[in-house]
Amino acid sequence: MRTAPAYAKINLSLEVLGRRLDGYHELVSVMQTVSLSDEITVQPNVAVQLSCSDPALEHRDNLVVRAAESLRAEWSVEDGCSVVLTKRIPAAAGLGGGSSDAATTLVLLNELWNLGASLSDLAVLAAQLGSDVPYFLVGGTAFIEGRGERVTPLPDGADQYFVLANPRVPLSTADVFRNVRSEEHGTGAATLEVRDQVLRSRIAPFGVNGLQDSAFRICPPAQRCFESLQARAPGSVILSGSGPTSVARVDGPDEATQLTRAMQADGYWATAAKSIGRGEMIV
Ligand code: C5P
């Protein structure tokens, strides 16, 4: 039996550069792993079987099952596995929960089945499962290019504290990308500046999020949540990925707890979170 946390991510900056011929969008981003996590346990079993704390996610289309089946097919594994998934990361929230679960499943099953697959072997399967999945094999702070699958690790910095909040409604990533207008495309300069700041000072400021206007058009409650967080947080606020979760940067754990409680009192889903460096990741 093997167990590991599957951490959420936030986007410190994200720019859509343009639409590609394959239907995806070319983007640049700086991603950061945070302490909010799901938990995954794998055990030997005859077939691939998932049990999940959220019954709505307990189906064959779950990325965890697809990750297990793709690894099994690629490496001609005859054994199965039972996977127990405890969800804490809200689904379809811009926090990469499903992608992180998939990446962690690949790593755990590589060990359980003794496959000896390298990180680059796993990255090929990861990219087939979803644009964000390869990032979660690396984690920490990273610079992201292409449709999301090209990942360059950046050095770990000092701990940073955040509050994550959303209006408790899911938002489809595909819908948000589809509704981005060409005038909302970026040059990438703001995101490159965030990357360079990490390299210079190990502390990343928030850049921009080129999906924000699209997300707010589709999901007005996401904008209200963002504004509510902004009104309360002394520092900067940014939408994470395709939303609807917004992220406020705070000075430390006490401030994070206070702001989290204030957002919860207004009915929002909210949690305090700390940056997780690559060195702290168990997987
Ligand atoms: O890759 P993934 O399946 O996670 O992406 C979900 C959807 O988001 C895609 O089907 C696509 O519509 C959109 N997307 C995009 N450009 C990206 C990543 C995702 O248009 N770089």
Side-chain angles (χ1 to χ4, degrees), residues 23-25 27 130-131 147 173-174 177:
Y24 284 89
H25 290 78
L27 52 83
S131 306
R147 67 177 170 94
T173 300
F177 271 104

Side-chain angles (χ1 to χ4, degrees), residues 95-192:
L95 297 171
S99 301
S100 183
D101 294 343
T104 304
T105 300
L106 290 176
V107 172
L108 289 175
L109 290 179
N110 186 31
E111 290 171 12
L112 185 78
W113 290 335
N114 261 312
L115 303 180
S118 67
L119 206 57
S120 49
D121 292 334
L122 297 182
V124 173
L125 293 182
Q128 291 164 7
L129 292 164
S131 306
D132 280 355
V133 182
Y135 160 73
F136 288 101
L137 294 172
V138 177
T141 316
F143 180 62
I144 308 297
E145 298 167 279
R147 67 177 170 94
E149 84 289 11
R150 273 162 46 210
V151 183
T152 307
L154 295 172
D156 287 343
D159 288 349
Q160 296 179 73
Y161 295 88
F162 305 103
V163 172
L164 319 184
N166 70 48
R168 300 178 185 274
V169 289
L171 185 51
S172 153
T173 300
D175 288 350
V176 173
F177 271 104
R178 199 177 311 115
N179 281 282
V180 173
R181 297 174 180 161
S182 54
E183 63 267 25
E184 291 160 6
H185 292 167
T187 61
T191 303
L192 290 177

